[in-house]
Amino acid sequence: QVQLVESGGDLVQPGGSLRLSCAPSSSIFNIISMAWYRQAPGKQREIVARISSDGISNYVESVKGRFTISRDNAKNTVYLQMNSLKPEDTAVYICNVLVYDHSVRDYWGQGTQVTVSS
């Protein structure tokens, strides 16, 4: 069973930066897209950014211009560069990979905590 392993979460001051990484425990094929979600306490999980197999990325409005999603196809790794962090960005950030394997299915990571506070 493939597992997604996230890293990079930390406590950072407002205005600071973090880079999250997500890599699978074994090879994944036929990737459709890779994405980052986040879930803050008491709130629903929301998608932050998604990048397709051909490199097209989309972002939730609240992070546009501050966050950048990228991927390393050779390593099946997805990154989230987060700049100008705000307290409202505090959440558990969760990696998602969508694949086609006779049907569409997805994998989820366990999440990495990002806390933005002075």
Side-chain angles (χ1 to χ4, degrees), residues 21-78:
S21 300
C22 172
S25 58
S26 58
S27 296
I28 299 180
F29 302 97
N30 301 323
I31 293 176
I32 298 171
S33 66
M34 307 178 84
W36 287 96
Y37 287 71
R38 66 186 179 186
Q39 186 161 20
K43 294 188 177 181
Q44 288 189 332
R45 183 176 295 187
E46 68 168 350
I47 186 166
V48 176
R50 182 182 298 279
I51 186 166
S52 66
S53 58
D54 53 1
I56 297 174
S57 57
N58 293 281
Y59 301 88
V60 67
E61 191 65 34
S62 60
V63 308
K64 285 182 179 178
R66 300 188 297 121
F67 291 10
T68 303
I69 190 170
S70 61
R71 59 189 287 178
D72 182 331
N73 290 329
K75 299 179 181 179
N76 283 340
T77 299
V78 62

Side-chain angles (χ1 to χ4, degrees), residues 5 19 24 33 51 61 67 82 85 90-91 97 103 107-108 111:
V5 181
R19 188 189 193 217
S33 66
I51 186 166
E61 191 65 34
F67 291 10
M82 305 186 295
L85 282 161
T90 295
V97 176
S103 64
Y107 297 98
W108 292 92

